[in-house]
Amino acid sequence: MDFSVLNEALASKSFNKIADICDNLMLQVAAEGVPFRDEWPFAIHLLGHIYIDDINSARFLWKSIPPAIKESQPEVVAAWKIGQKLWTRDYAGVYEAIRGFDWTQQTQVLVAAFSELYTKRMFELLQSAYSTISIQDAAQFLGMSEEDASNYVLGQGWTVNPTSRMITVTKQAIVKEQKLDPGKLQRLTEYVFHLEH
């Protein structure tokens, strides 16, 4: 079975493409009637869906994995554990699931990239949902120690009050980039010209 496209995506760190690549490869080999279950990279496939935050697809993939594969490949079970924690919105549990398994070299890069992306998502969630939050709660959401979480949010421009152990969230100004379409500008010019003459 040719996994060269998948290997290229992993090597180039195009992690957002992995789920689609795996889905397409699976459809292709299934259509050809090739037995693929034993050598299929289910852990990477699951993590690809988890990376793009497509938990429903990850759930359906998990349900389609034969029990023998689940029993013989603990990394597949570990990948799904991350999906379970996301499904139940157990934010701290996601980090525990990531750290709780000794990932193979091939999946370790993808898991590390997901962990970093997930921390960014959690930071953005905190930023949009809170004006103040305790250091302990922020650390739990960010999957860090309280000291690391304090340093992380300070680096993002938030303020930390060590006495009250509270973090004041600094909202980022939303910058909307306006795109100037020459066609729209031309129509506006013609419209104004028509009104004046």
Side-chain angles (χ1 to χ4, degrees), residues 99-118:
R99 293 184 193 117
F101 188 78
D102 187 21
W103 302 96
T104 61
Q105 187 175 1
Q106 192 176 27
T107 56
Q108 190 173 19
V109 177
L110 179 55
V111 171
F114 169 73
S115 180
E116 186 178 314
L117 177 67
Y118 187 70

Side-chain angles (χ1 to χ4, degrees), residues 27-122:
L27 287 172
Q28 183 182 1
V29 295
E32 294 170 359
V34 176
F36 64 92
R37 300 267 185 206
D38 293 336
E39 59 187 76
W40 191 259
F42 283 109
I44 290 175
H45 196 165
L46 277 169
L47 290 167
H49 285 296
I50 289 169
Y51 184 86
I52 60 171
D53 204 21
D54 187 3
I55 305 306
N56 280 330
S57 294
R59 271 184 59 226
F60 291 124
L61 176 62
W62 172 254
K63 289 179 179 183
S64 72
I65 298 173
I69 300 289
K70 292 176 185 177
E71 291 171 10
S72 67
Q73 297 181 15
E75 192 167 55
V76 174
V77 176
W80 176 238
K81 191 169 188 170
I82 296 171
Q84 286 176 312
K85 300 298 181 181
L86 288 168
W87 182 259
T88 59
R89 292 188 173 90
D90 179 1
Y91 303 115
V94 171
Y95 294 107
E96 291 170 12
I98 290 170
R99 293 184 193 117
F101 188 78
D102 187 21
W103 302 96
T104 61
Q105 187 175 1
Q106 192 176 27
T107 56
Q108 190 173 19
V109 177
L110 179 55
V111 171
F114 169 73
S115 180
E116 186 178 314
L117 177 67
Y118 187 70
T119 300
K120 286 180 185 176
R121 287 180 191 158
M122 288 298 97

